[in-house]
Amino acid sequence: MHKLTFTPASYTGWGCLSQLLLEVKKFNAYNILIVTDPLLKEIGLTDYVEKPLIEEGYKTTIYTDIAPEPPLAIGEKLVDFTRKHPFDLVIGVGGGSALDLAKLAAVLATHDGKVADYLNLTGTKTVENKGLPKILIPTTSGTGSEVTNISVLSLDTTKDVVAHDYLLADVAIVDPALTISLPAKVTAATGVDALTHAIEAYVSVNANAVTDALALQAIRLISQSIRTAVHNGQDKQARTDMSYGSYLAGLAFFNAGVAGVHALAYPLGGQFHIAHGDSNAVLLPYVMGYIRQSCEKRMKDIVDAMGVSSIYLSQQEASYKCVEALQQLIKDVQIPSTLQGFSIPASALEQLTEDATKQTRILARSPMPLERDDIYQIYLAAFDGEVREP
């Protein structure tokens, strides 16, 4: 038996932002908080969200005091701000960080205590009510935050999450038109993040027939459009395919979970402030290469979905081909392929390992149990640029 959870309402497809007013009216709201990236306000992208609301008579407040890989302190500040104002609705616009913070603000606005009290690894409080309604509008094709129930925050050396189904969006609006202006570097990082979601969901111990279908279609769409989206961001079809792929990957990993890649990526982001997508990308081939023997059949399915035929290959041969295909994709979208490429010293590997072992919630979903030495060996492989097996 598998429990499947989905956002109550989603709009997908080119131009679907046009449905925003229709949905806002359903909440009987007047005072609206818009949480967004400062750059999006600067380039005017938030106008597409705010102007129709103002014209309709709503009061809007734009909050931009956020940052990529947001530290706990930024989450605390936003929640404090939200509690001090009579907001009726929260709209998140932007990448995963903006959406995660919007979810956090909406839910914890009606709770007491600090955000830290609700963290998964160390918190002592439980989310008890739904908080304010929320609409999430991604402007990247990557994180899947618009369809998940977690908010990720950076701590001193690693990351933790606030997780509860009350953090799910009431409405997700996934409009690929909003991703056209996304720079190539961000397109690459967020795109590989989405691909990682789909791959990890497909090999997760919690995978099932529904998440498999979502994950494989996400892998097909992303792996066959990401290069075009990175190198020709104006390509409407590539942006549309990436948008759908990211959305499907979000649904897949929310219901099946991610595992080793994310567990090892969190400390990279926490300690070195590397973008989450880049952290996943640099680790993906090394984790999949290390756990290969535990999921050969599934890796054969993955490489086929990537458009690299394995029809004449054994499962073992196809699983090796899968690792090679992942390495090639990451090279093609110009993300560094080693930890050294991100200026991470060898002396950091021990602390990275120590912090990754604490991600027990995520590690539990790996098809191959990853103990401390396994984690260290994967980091070492990523540092040296050589895929290793146990």
Side-chain angles (χ1 to χ4, degrees), residues 84-294:
K84 290 173 182 173
H85 296 81
F87 295 120
D88 309 308
L89 171 69
V90 177
I91 299 178
V93 184
S97 298
L99 303 190
D100 279 7
L101 288 168
K103 291 191 280 191
L104 201 65
V107 173
L108 294 189
T110 58
H111 290 73
D112 60 9
K114 296 285 191 182
V115 175
D117 297 332
Y118 296 89
L119 291 173
N120 174 66
L121 295 178
T122 57
T124 56
K125 288 182 178 288
T126 304
V127 173
E128 294 178 347
N129 63 74
K130 198 168 182 298
L132 303 175
K134 51 201 166 299
I135 297 174
L136 300 182
I137 306 170
T139 60
T140 68
S141 297
T143 69
S145 179
E146 69 278 6
V147 292
T148 68
N149 71 349
I150 62 172
S151 178
V152 184
L153 295 162
S154 295
L155 307 180
D156 288 341
T157 60
T158 186
K159 294 185 179 184
D160 200 356
V161 301
V162 177
H164 194 284
D165 279 356
Y166 286 150
L167 270 78
L168 278 171
D170 294 279
V171 181
I173 298 178
V174 188
D175 189 339
L178 297 175
T179 68
I180 283 286
S181 60
L182 204 63
K185 190 174 185 300
V186 184
T187 299
T190 56
V192 178
D193 186 21
L195 181 63
T196 304
H197 292 155
I199 290 171
E200 291 215 279
Y202 192 65
V203 301
S204 166
V205 297
N206 296 331
N208 59 73
V210 176
T211 61
D212 285 352
L214 295 166
L216 284 176
Q217 181 64 358
I219 293 166
R220 289 186 195 102
L221 287 168
I222 295 166
S223 59
Q224 296 176 39
S225 61
I226 188 171
R227 293 171 175 87
T228 303
V230 168
H231 297 296
N232 179 18
Q234 299 297 310
D235 189 296
K236 184 175 176 180
Q237 189 60 52
R239 289 297 193 184
T240 299
D241 288 349
M242 287 297 296
S243 182
Y244 273 112
S246 171
Y247 174 75
L248 292 170
L251 294 175
F253 96 82
F254 174 45
N255 284 284
V258 288
V261 180
H262 276 72
L264 274 67
Y266 276 179
L268 276 185
Q271 290 185 39
F272 295 97
H273 308 292
I274 298 170
H276 178 61
D278 285 335
S279 297
N280 278 334
V282 73
L283 291 166
L284 179 61
Y286 303 104
V287 173
M288 296 308 296
Y290 195 86
I291 68 170
R292 184 195 59 77
Q293 295 176 44
S294 68

Side-chain angles (χ1 to χ4, degrees), residues 245-382:
S246 171
Y247 174 75
L248 292 170
L251 294 175
F253 96 82
F254 174 45
N255 284 284
V258 288
V261 180
H262 276 72
L264 274 67
Y266 276 179
L268 276 185
Q271 290 185 39
F272 295 97
H273 308 292
I274 298 170
H276 178 61
D278 285 335
S279 297
N280 278 334
V282 73
L283 291 166
L284 179 61
Y286 303 104
V287 173
M288 296 308 296
Y290 195 86
I291 68 170
R292 184 195 59 77
Q293 295 176 44
S294 68
C295 50
E296 286 182 352
K297 166 66 171 70
R298 294 211 151 222
M299 288 179 70
K300 188 177 194 297
D301 297 339
I302 290 167
V303 77
D304 285 340
M306 291 180 71
V308 180
S309 176
S310 69
I311 191 168
Y312 299 114
L313 302 179
S314 66
Q315 288 182 14
Q316 182 187 54
E317 291 168 333
S319 66
Y320 283 120
K321 179 70 76 175
C322 180
V323 175
E324 292 171 8
L326 293 173
Q327 289 177 306
Q328 187 61 51
L329 184 148
I330 290 160
K331 180 181 178 183
D332 289 347
V333 298
Q334 298 174 342
I335 295 175
S337 60
T338 68
L339 295 182
Q340 293 184 68
F342 288 99
S343 302
I344 293 170
S347 58
L349 301 188
E350 280 290 345
Q351 186 61 52
L352 288 169
T353 301
E354 184 64 31
D355 288 335
T357 59
K358 298 173 184 174
Q359 298 293 335
T360 52
R361 177 182 67 93
I362 304 176
L363 289 168
R365 305 178 191 127
S366 174
M368 172 186 163
L370 295 174
E371 305 297 339
R372 193 184 196 286
D373 186 61
D374 298 311
I375 292 169
Y376 180 81
Q377 290 301 323
I378 294 169
Y379 278 131
L380 187 60

